[in-house]
Amino acid sequence: MVMHIGKFLDQDYDYVVNDIMQVKKAIGNKILKVILETVYLTYEQIIKASQLCIDAHADFIKTSTGFASQGATPEVVKVMIDAAQSKIKVKAAGGVKTPQDLQKYISLGVDRIGTSSGLALISGNKADQDY
């Protein structure tokens, strides 16, 4: 699911947590990934959003849907991992284009990578497309 960014930016945190909790309840034991669309958030907001996802019992926080102007960056992923405090998993998505990018995110400690170029990357090649 995508976090309700409008409510988040309005600081209606109760709404955001309840929204996530309702989706988690509806899906039962299935994994819930909450997409933050980090390109629209400051580091402080990313930390707050990550905490709300923890409070709502989501399983993952994810950087991007792939439709925004930017996906994962090492700086944002590091902020998310630090905020997660091992209480929620982190998925870096969008902008993973080279084997070096892939290694960088793995070394930062992400739990999952989202890329449309997985085959190219594990073969040691650069992605054919831009973000």
Side-chain angles (χ1 to χ4, degrees), residues 43-118:
Y43 291 161
E44 293 78 20
Q45 290 170 325
I46 292 167
I47 293 166
K48 180 65 176 179
S50 300
Q51 185 58 56
L52 295 178
C53 292
I54 292 167
D55 294 347
H57 308 289
D59 300 292
F60 276 86
I61 47 177
K62 180 179 168 184
T63 54
S64 175
T65 59
F67 295 109
S69 61
Q70 181 179 2
T73 66
E75 297 79 15
V76 162
V77 169
K78 174 86 169 84
V79 169
M80 291 173 69
I81 289 170
D82 290 347
Q85 302 172 6
S86 299
K87 297 177 184 174
I88 193 168
K89 295 180 179 182
V90 177
K91 180 174 180 179
V96 185
K97 297 182 182 48
T98 67
Q100 293 79 16
D101 292 338
L102 181 63
Q103 276 304 116
K104 186 180 300 180
Y105 291 119
I106 291 169
S107 70
L108 285 172
V110 297
D111 298 284
R112 201 171 275 186
I113 300 283
T115 182
S116 58
S117 305

Coordinates of all heavy atoms in Angstrom, one line a residue, residues 43-118:
Y43 N 14.2 14.1 5.6 CA 14.7 13.0 6.4 C 13.9 12.8 7.7 O 13.6 11.7 8.1 CB 16.2 13.2 6.7 CG 17.1 13.0 5.5 CD1 18.4 13.5 5.6 CD2 16.7 12.4 4.4 CE1 19.3 13.4 4.5 CE2 17.6 12.2 3.3 CZ 18.9 12.7 3.4 OH 19.7 12.6 2.3
E44 N 13.6 14.0 8.3 CA 12.8 13.9 9.6 C 11.4 13.3 9.3 O 10.9 12.5 10.1 CB 12.7 15.3 10.1 CG 13.9 15.9 10.6 CD 14.8 16.5 9.5 OE1 14.4 16.8 8.4 OE2 16.1 16.6 9.8
Q45 N 10.8 13.6 8.2 CA 9.5 13.0 7.9 C 9.6 11.5 7.6 O 8.7 10.8 7.9 CB 8.9 13.8 6.7 CG 8.4 15.2 7.0 CD 8.0 16.0 5.8 OE1 8.6 15.8 4.7 NE2 7.0 16.8 6.0
I46 N 10.7 11.1 6.9 CA 10.9 9.7 6.7 C 11.1 8.9 8.0 O 10.5 7.9 8.1 CB 12.2 9.5 5.8 CG1 12.0 10.1 4.4 CG2 12.6 8.0 5.8 CD1 13.2 10.2 3.5
I47 N 11.7 9.5 9.0 CA 11.9 8.9 10.3 C 10.5 8.8 10.9 O 10.1 7.7 11.4 CB 12.8 9.7 11.2 CG1 14.3 9.6 10.6 CG2 12.8 9.2 12.6 CD1 15.2 10.6 11.2
K48 N 9.7 9.8 10.9 CA 8.4 9.8 11.5 C 7.5 8.8 10.8 O 6.8 8.0 11.4 CB 7.7 11.2 11.4 CG 6.3 11.3 12.0 CD 6.3 11.0 13.5 CE 5.0 11.2 14.1 NZ 4.9 10.9 15.5
A49 N 7.5 8.8 9.4 CA 6.7 7.8 8.7 C 7.1 6.4 9.0 O 6.2 5.5 9.1 CB 6.8 8.1 7.2
S50 N 8.4 6.2 9.1 CA 8.8 4.8 9.5 C 8.3 4.4 10.8 O 7.9 3.3 11.0 CB 10.4 4.8 9.5 OG 10.9 5.1 8.2
Q51 N 8.3 5.3 11.8 CA 7.8 5.0 13.1 C 6.3 4.7 13.1 O 5.8 3.8 13.8 CB 8.1 6.1 14.1 CG 7.7 5.8 15.5 CD 8.4 4.6 16.1 OE1 9.6 4.5 16.1 NE2 7.6 3.6 16.5
L52 N 5.6 5.5 12.3 CA 4.1 5.2 12.2 C 3.9 3.8 11.6 O 3.0 3.1 12.0 CB 3.5 6.3 11.3 CG 3.5 7.7 11.9 CD1 2.9 8.7 10.9 CD2 2.8 7.8 13.2
C53 N 4.7 3.4 10.6 CA 4.5 2.1 10.1 C 4.9 1.0 11.1 O 4.2 0.0 11.1 CB 5.4 2.0 8.8 SG 4.9 3.0 7.4
I54 N 5.8 1.2 11.9 CA 6.2 0.3 13.0 C 5.0 0.2 13.9 O 4.5 -0.9 14.3 CB 7.4 0.7 13.7 CG1 8.7 0.6 12.8 CG2 7.6 -0.1 15.0 CD1 9.9 1.2 13.3
D55 N 4.5 1.4 14.3 CA 3.3 1.4 15.3 C 2.1 0.7 14.7 O 1.3 0.2 15.5 CB 2.9 2.9 15.6 CG 4.0 3.6 16.4 OD1 4.9 3.0 16.9 OD2 3.9 4.9 16.4
A56 N 1.9 0.7 13.4 CA 0.8 0.1 12.7 C 1.0 -1.3 12.4 O 0.1 -2.0 11.8 CB 0.4 0.9 11.5
H57 N 2.2 -1.9 12.7 CA 2.5 -3.3 12.5 C 2.6 -3.7 11.1 O 2.4 -4.8 10.7 CB 1.5 -4.2 13.2 CG 1.3 -3.8 14.7 ND1 2.3 -4.1 15.6 CD2 0.3 -3.2 15.3 CE1 1.8 -3.6 16.8 NE2 0.6 -3.1 16.6
A58 N 3.1 -2.8 10.2 CA 3.4 -3.1 8.9 C 4.7 -4.0 8.9 O 5.4 -4.0 9.9 CB 3.7 -1.9 8.0
D59 N 4.9 -4.7 7.8 CA 6.0 -5.6 7.7 C 7.3 -5.0 7.1 O 8.4 -5.3 7.4 CB 5.6 -6.9 7.0 CG 4.5 -7.6 7.6 OD1 4.7 -8.2 8.7 OD2 3.4 -7.6 7.0
F60 N 7.0 -4.1 6.1 CA 8.1 -3.4 5.4 C 7.8 -2.0 5.2 O 6.6 -1.6 5.1 CB 8.2 -4.0 3.9 CG 9.0 -5.2 3.8 CD1 8.4 -6.5 3.9 CD2 10.3 -5.2 3.4 CE1 9.1 -7.6 3.7 CE2 11.0 -6.4 3.2 CZ 10.4 -7.6 3.3
I61 N 8.8 -1.2 5.1 CA 8.7 0.2 4.6 C 9.5 0.2 3.3 O 10.6 -0.5 3.2 CB 9.2 1.3 5.6 CG1 10.6 0.9 6.2 CG2 8.2 1.6 6.6 CD1 11.2 1.9 7.1
K62 N 9.0 0.9 2.3 CA 9.5 0.8 1.0 C 9.7 2.3 0.5 O 8.9 3.1 0.7 CB 8.6 0.1 0.0 CG 9.0 -0.1 -1.4 CD 8.0 -0.9 -2.2 CE 8.3 -0.8 -3.7 NZ 7.3 -1.5 -4.5
T63 N 10.8 2.5 -0.3 CA 11.1 3.9 -0.7 C 10.1 4.5 -1.7 O 9.7 5.6 -1.6 CB 12.5 3.9 -1.4 OG1 12.6 2.9 -2.4 CG2 13.6 3.7 -0.3
S64 N 9.7 3.7 -2.7 CA 9.0 4.3 -3.9 C 8.1 3.4 -4.6 O 8.4 2.2 -4.7 CB 10.1 4.9 -4.8 OG 9.5 5.4 -6.0
T65 N 7.1 3.9 -5.3 CA 6.3 3.1 -6.2 C 6.9 2.9 -7.5 O 6.6 2.0 -8.3 CB 4.9 3.8 -6.5 OG1 5.2 5.1 -7.1 CG2 4.1 4.0 -5.2
G66 N 7.8 3.8 -7.9 CA 8.4 3.8 -9.2 C 7.8 4.8 -10.1 O 8.2 5.0 -11.3
F67 N 6.8 5.5 -9.7 CA 6.1 6.5 -10.5 C 6.5 7.9 -10.1 O 6.2 8.9 -10.9 CB 4.6 6.4 -10.3 CG 4.0 5.1 -10.8 CD1 3.6 4.1 -10.0 CD2 4.0 4.8 -12.2 CE1 3.1 2.9 -10.5 CE2 3.5 3.6 -12.7 CZ 3.1 2.7 -11.8
A68 N 7.2 8.1 -9.0 CA 7.7 9.4 -8.7 C 9.0 9.8 -9.5 O 9.5 8.9 -10.2 CB 8.0 9.5 -7.2
S69 N 9.5 10.9 -9.3 CA 10.6 11.4 -10.0 C 11.9 10.7 -9.6 O 12.9 10.8 -10.3 CB 10.8 12.9 -10.0 OG 10.9 13.3 -8.6
Q70 N 11.9 10.1 -8.4 CA 13.1 9.5 -7.9 C 12.8 8.4 -7.0 O 11.8 8.4 -6.3 CB 14.0 10.5 -7.1 CG 15.2 10.0 -6.5 CD 16.0 11.1 -5.8 OE1 15.5 12.2 -5.7 NE2 17.2 10.8 -5.3
G71 N 13.6 7.3 -7.0 CA 13.4 6.2 -6.1 C 14.4 6.2 -5.0 O 14.6 7.3 -4.4
A72 N 14.9 5.1 -4.7 CA 15.9 4.9 -3.6 C 17.1 5.7 -3.8 O 17.6 5.9 -5.0 CB 16.2 3.5 -3.4
T73 N 17.7 6.3 -2.8 CA 19.0 6.8 -2.7 C 19.7 6.2 -1.5 O 19.1 5.9 -0.5 CB 19.1 8.4 -2.6 OG1 18.6 8.7 -1.4 CG2 18.3 9.0 -3.8
P74 N 21.0 6.1 -1.6 CA 21.7 5.5 -0.4 C 21.4 6.3 0.9 O 21.3 5.7 2.0 CB 23.2 5.6 -0.8 CG 23.2 5.6 -2.3 CD 22.0 6.3 -2.7
E75 N 21.3 7.6 0.8 CA 21.1 8.5 2.0 C 19.7 8.2 2.6 O 19.6 8.1 3.8 CB 21.2 10.0 1.6 CG 22.6 10.4 1.1 CD 22.9 10.0 -0.4 OE1 22.0 9.7 -1.1 OE2 24.1 10.0 -0.7
V76 N 18.7 8.1 1.7 CA 17.4 7.9 2.2 C 17.3 6.4 2.8 O 16.7 6.2 3.8 CB 16.3 8.0 1.0 CG1 15.0 7.4 1.4 CG2 16.1 9.5 0.8
V77 N 17.9 5.5 2.1 CA 17.8 4.1 2.6 C 18.5 4.0 4.0 O 18.0 3.3 4.9 CB 18.4 3.2 1.6 CG1 18.6 1.8 2.2 CG2 17.5 3.1 0.4
K78 N 19.6 4.7 4.1 CA 20.3 4.7 5.5 C 19.4 5.3 6.5 O 19.3 4.8 7.6 CB 21.6 5.5 5.4 CG 22.3 5.7 6.7 CD 23.2 4.5 7.0 CE 24.2 4.8 8.1 NZ 23.6 4.6 9.4
V79 N 18.7 6.4 6.2 CA 17.8 7.0 7.2 C 16.7 6.0 7.5 O 16.3 5.8 8.7 CB 17.1 8.3 6.6 CG1 16.0 8.8 7.5 CG2 18.2 9.4 6.5
M80 N 16.1 5.3 6.5 CA 15.1 4.3 6.8 C 15.6 3.2 7.6 O 14.9 2.7 8.6 CB 14.5 3.8 5.5 CG 13.7 4.9 4.7 SD 13.2 4.3 3.0 CE 12.0 3.1 3.4
I81 N 16.7 2.7 7.3 CA 17.3 1.5 8.1 C 17.5 1.9 9.6 O 17.2 1.2 10.5 CB 18.6 1.0 7.4 CG1 18.2 0.3 6.2 CG2 19.3 0.1 8.4 CD1 19.3 -0.1 5.3
D82 N 18.1 3.1 9.8 CA 18.3 3.6 11.1 C 16.9 3.8 11.9 O 16.8 3.4 13.0 CB 19.0 4.9 11.1 CG 20.5 4.8 10.7 OD1 21.0 3.6 10.7 OD2 21.1 5.8 10.4
A83 N 15.9 4.3 11.2 CA 14.6 4.5 11.8 C 13.9 3.2 12.1 O 13.2 3.1 13.0 CB 13.8 5.4 10.9
A84 N 14.2 2.2 11.2 CA 13.5 0.9 11.4 C 14.0 0.2 12.7 O 13.2 -0.6 13.2 CB 13.8 0.0 10.2
Q85 N 15.2 0.4 13.1 CA 15.7 -0.2 14.4 C 15.4 -1.7 14.4 O 15.1 -2.2 15.5 CB 15.1 0.5 15.6 CG 15.3 2.0 15.6 CD 14.5 2.6 16.8 OE1 13.8 2.0 17.6 NE2 14.5 3.9 16.8
S86 N 15.5 -2.4 13.3 CA 15.2 -3.8 13.2 C 13.8 -4.2 13.6 O 13.6 -5.4 13.9 CB 16.3 -4.6 14.0 OG 17.6 -4.3 13.6
K87 N 12.9 -3.2 13.7 CA 11.5 -3.5 14.1 C 10.6 -3.7 12.8 O 9.5 -4.2 12.9 CB 11.0 -2.4 14.9 CG 11.7 -2.3 16.3 CD 11.1 -1.1 17.0 CE 11.9 -0.9 18.3 NZ 11.5 0.3 19.0
I88 N 11.1 -3.3 11.7 CA 10.4 -3.4 10.4 C 11.5 -3.6 9.3 O 12.6 -3.1 9.5 CB 9.5 -2.1 10.2 CG1 8.5 -2.3 9.1 CG2 10.4 -0.9 10.0 CD1 7.5 -1.2 9.0
K89 N 11.1 -4.3 8.3 CA 12.1 -4.5 7.2 C 12.0 -3.3 6.2 O 11.0 -2.6 6.2 CB 11.7 -5.8 6.5 CG 12.0 -7.0 7.4 CD 11.6 -8.3 6.7 CE 11.9 -9.5 7.7 NZ 11.7 -10.7 7.1
V90 N 13.1 -3.2 5.5 CA 13.3 -2.1 4.5 C 13.5 -2.6 3.1 O 14.3 -3.5 2.9 CB 14.5 -1.2 4.9 CG1 14.7 -0.1 3.9 CG2 14.3 -0.6 6.3
K91 N 12.7 -2.0 2.2 CA 12.8 -2.4 0.8 C 13.3 -1.1 0.0 O 12.6 -0.1 0.1 CB 11.5 -2.9 0.2 CG 11.6 -3.3 -1.3 CD 10.3 -3.9 -1.7 CE 10.4 -4.3 -3.2 NZ 9.2 -4.9 -3.7
A92 N 14.4 -1.2 -0.7 CA 14.9 -0.1 -1.5 C 14.3 -0.4 -2.9 O 14.6 -1.5 -3.5 CB 16.4 -0.1 -1.6
A93 N 13.6 0.5 -3.5 CA 13.0 0.3 -4.8 C 13.2 1.6 -5.7 O 13.0 2.7 -5.1 CB 11.6 0.0 -4.7
G94 N 13.4 1.4 -6.9 CA 13.6 2.5 -7.8 C 15.0 3.1 -7.8 O 15.5 3.3 -6.8
G95 N 15.6 3.2 -9.0 CA 16.9 3.7 -9.1 C 18.0 2.7 -8.9 O 19.2 3.1 -8.8
V96 N 17.7 1.4 -8.8 CA 18.7 0.4 -8.6 C 19.1 -0.1 -10.0 O 18.4 -0.9 -10.6 CB 18.2 -0.8 -7.7 CG1 19.4 -1.8 -7.5 CG2 17.7 -0.2 -6.4
K97 N 20.1 0.5 -10.6 CA 20.4 0.3 -12.0 C 21.7 -0.4 -12.4 O 21.9 -0.9 -13.5 CB 20.5 1.7 -12.7 CG 19.2 2.5 -12.7 CD 19.5 3.8 -13.4 CE 18.4 4.7 -13.5 NZ 17.6 5.2 -12.4
T98 N 22.6 -0.5 -11.4 CA 23.9 -1.1 -11.7 C 24.2 -2.1 -10.6 O 23.7 -2.1 -9.5 CB 25.0 0.0 -11.7 OG1 25.2 0.5 -10.3 CG2 24.8 1.1 -12.6
P99 N 25.1 -3.1 -10.9 CA 25.5 -4.0 -9.9 C 26.1 -3.3 -8.7 O 25.9 -3.8 -7.5 CB 26.6 -4.9 -10.6 CG 26.2 -4.8 -12.0 CD 25.7 -3.4 -12.2
Q100 N 26.7 -2.2 -8.9 CA 27.3 -1.4 -7.8 C 26.2 -0.8 -6.9 O 26.3 -0.8 -5.7 CB 28.2 -0.3 -8.3 CG 29.5 -0.7 -9.0 CD 29.2 -1.2 -10.5 OE1 28.2 -0.9 -11.1 NE2 30.2 -1.9 -11.0
D101 N 25.1 -0.3 -7.5 CA 23.9 0.1 -6.8 C 23.4 -1.0 -5.9 O 23.1 -0.9 -4.7 CB 22.8 0.6 -7.7 CG 23.1 1.8 -8.4 OD1 24.0 2.6 -8.0 OD2 22.4 2.1 -9.5
L102 N 23.2 -2.2 -6.5 CA 22.7 -3.3 -5.8 C 23.6 -3.7 -4.6 O 23.1 -3.8 -3.5 CB 22.7 -4.5 -6.8 CG 22.1 -5.8 -6.3 CD1 20.7 -5.7 -5.9 CD2 22.3 -6.9 -7.3
Q103 N 24.9 -3.7 -4.8 CA 25.8 -4.0 -3.7 C 25.8 -3.0 -2.6 O 25.8 -3.3 -1.4 CB 27.2 -4.2 -4.2 CG 27.6 -5.5 -4.8 CD 27.3 -6.6 -3.8 OE1 26.4 -7.4 -4.0 NE2 28.0 -6.6 -2.6
K104 N 25.6 -1.7 -3.0 CA 25.6 -0.6 -2.1 C 24.4 -0.8 -1.1 O 24.5 -0.7 0.1 CB 25.5 0.7 -2.8 CG 25.6 1.9 -1.8 CD 25.5 3.2 -2.6 CE 26.6 3.4 -3.6 NZ 26.6 4.6 -4.3
Y105 N 23.2 -1.1 -1.7 CA 22.0 -1.2 -0.9 C 22.1 -2.5 0.0 O 21.6 -2.4 1.2 CB 20.7 -1.2 -1.7 CG 20.5 0.1 -2.3 CD1 20.5 0.3 -3.7 CD2 20.3 1.3 -1.5 CE1 20.3 1.6 -4.3 CE2 20.1 2.5 -2.1 CZ 20.1 2.7 -3.4 OH 19.9 3.9 -3.9
I106 N 22.6 -3.5 -0.5 CA 22.8 -4.7 0.3 C 23.7 -4.5 1.4 O 23.5 -4.9 2.6 CB 23.3 -5.9 -0.6 CG1 22.2 -6.4 -1.6 CG2 23.8 -7.1 0.3 CD1 22.7 -7.3 -2.6
S107 N 24.8 -3.7 1.2 CA 25.8 -3.4 2.3 C 25.2 -2.5 3.3 O 25.6 -2.5 4.5 CB 27.1 -2.9 1.7 OG 26.9 -1.6 1.2
L108 N 24.2 -1.7 2.9 CA 23.5 -0.8 3.9 C 22.6 -1.6 4.8 O 22.3 -1.2 5.9 CB 22.7 0.3 3.2 CG 23.5 1.4 2.6 CD1 22.6 2.3 1.7 CD2 24.2 2.2 3.7
G109 N 22.2 -2.8 4.3 CA 21.4 -3.6 5.2 C 19.9 -3.8 4.8 O 19.1 -4.2 5.6
V110 N 19.6 -3.4 3.5 CA 18.2 -3.6 3.1 C 17.8 -5.1 3.2 O 18.6 -5.9 3.0 CB 17.9 -3.0 1.7 CG1 18.1 -1.5 1.7 CG2 18.6 -3.7 0.6
D111 N 16.5 -5.3 3.4 CA 16.0 -6.7 3.4 C 15.5 -7.1 2.0 O 15.5 -8.3 1.8 CB 14.8 -6.8 4.4 CG 15.3 -6.4 5.8 OD1 15.9 -7.3 6.4 OD2 15.0 -5.3 6.2
R112 N 15.2 -6.2 1.2 CA 14.7 -6.5 -0.1 C 15.0 -5.4 -1.1 O 15.1 -4.2 -0.7 CB 13.1 -6.7 -0.1 CG 12.6 -7.5 -1.2 CD 11.1 -7.9 -0.9 NE 11.0 -9.0 -0.1 CZ 9.9 -9.6 0.2 NH1 8.7 -9.1 -0.2 NH2 9.8 -10.7 1.0
I113 N 15.2 -5.8 -2.4 CA 15.5 -4.8 -3.4 C 14.3 -4.9 -4.4 O 13.9 -6.0 -4.8 CB 16.8 -5.2 -4.2 CG1 18.0 -5.2 -3.3 CG2 17.0 -4.2 -5.4 CD1 18.5 -3.8 -2.9
G114 N 13.8 -3.7 -4.9 CA 12.8 -3.7 -5.9 C 13.5 -3.1 -7.2 O 14.0 -2.0 -7.1
T115 N 13.5 -3.8 -8.2 CA 14.1 -3.4 -9.5 C 13.4 -4.1 -10.6 O 13.0 -5.3 -10.5 CB 15.6 -3.6 -9.6 OG1 16.1 -3.1 -10.8 CG2 16.0 -5.0 -9.4
S116 N 13.2 -3.4 -11.7 CA 12.7 -4.1 -12.9 C 13.9 -4.6 -13.8 O 13.7 -5.2 -14.8 CB 11.9 -3.1 -13.8 OG 12.7 -2.0 -14.1
S117 N 15.1 -4.6 -13.2 CA 16.3 -5.0 -14.0 C 17.0 -6.1 -13.2 O 18.3 -6.2 -13.3 CB 17.2 -3.8 -14.2 OG 16.5 -2.8 -14.8
G118 N 16.3 -6.9 -12.5 CA 17.0 -7.9 -11.7 C 17.9 -8.9 -12.5 O 19.0 -9.1 -12.0

